[in-house]
Amino acid sequence: MKRGEPPKVSFAVEARQNKRKFITRVRGLESYHINPEVFASDVSKRFACSSSIEKDAAGREALKKGHVECVFQGNLADELTALLLGDERLCSHGGCKNSNYALPKGIFNIDLKKGVPKGR
């Protein structure tokens, strides 16, 4: 890790269809030595959702060189935050238990796009 402010892990939740279905995009995992392919597979098994890896960000903010973006089906911002912190008390979903990730607090940037409700 370098001096200064730690790199951010950003979540972007977007409405996909009729404001009833959502997708969650995750960026910045590589800064904490988390393999995005393994992470996407782990999350899809824990939360029973579809996942994919995007190497190019067409129509969105450009990715850093060598970085990719994980895309998950559903609004998983709270669940992914609890999973990456390793704190199962933050989420009632059972998939957050036994997490082997332990990122520091305060590095998450959650962006709810247009049409996504703030609370569930």
Side-chain angles (χ1 to χ4, degrees), residues 27-63:
R27 292 179 171 203
L29 295 172
E30 294 90 348
S31 301
Y32 293 96
H33 306 292
I34 296 175
N35 185 348
E37 287 84 10
V38 174
F39 180 73
S41 175
D42 185 31
V43 169
S44 65
K45 289 175 188 172
R46 285 177 183 263
F47 300 112
C49 67
S50 160
S51 66
S52 65
I53 302 292
E54 291 187 2
K55 296 186 185 327
D56 61 338
R60 292 180 305 280
E61 182 181 340
L63 293 166

Side-chain angles (χ1 to χ4, degrees), residues 12 27 43 48 58 71 75 95 98 103:
R27 292 179 171 203
V43 169
V71 181
N75 185 350
N98 301 326
L103 298 184

Side-chain angles (χ1 to χ4, degrees), residues 45-115:
K45 289 175 188 172
R46 285 177 183 263
F47 300 112
C49 67
S50 160
S51 66
S52 65
I53 302 292
E54 291 187 2
K55 296 186 185 327
D56 61 338
R60 292 180 305 280
E61 182 181 340
L63 293 166
K64 292 180 181 176
K65 186 175 182 180
H67 288 198
V68 296
E69 182 175 62
C70 298
V71 181
F72 302 105
Q73 174 187 7
N75 185 350
L76 297 175
D78 296 336
E79 289 85 355
L80 291 176
T81 302
L83 180 68
L84 288 171
L85 285 174
D87 190 0
E88 59 192 51
R89 293 172 291 156
L90 295 176
C91 178
S92 62
H93 196 283
C96 296
K97 294 182 179 175
N98 301 326
S99 171
N100 54 358
Y101 307 104
L103 298 184
K105 286 186 179 181
I107 63 161
F108 301 109
N109 182 19
I110 299 174
D111 183 23
L112 301 176
K113 301 287 185 184
K114 182 179 176 183

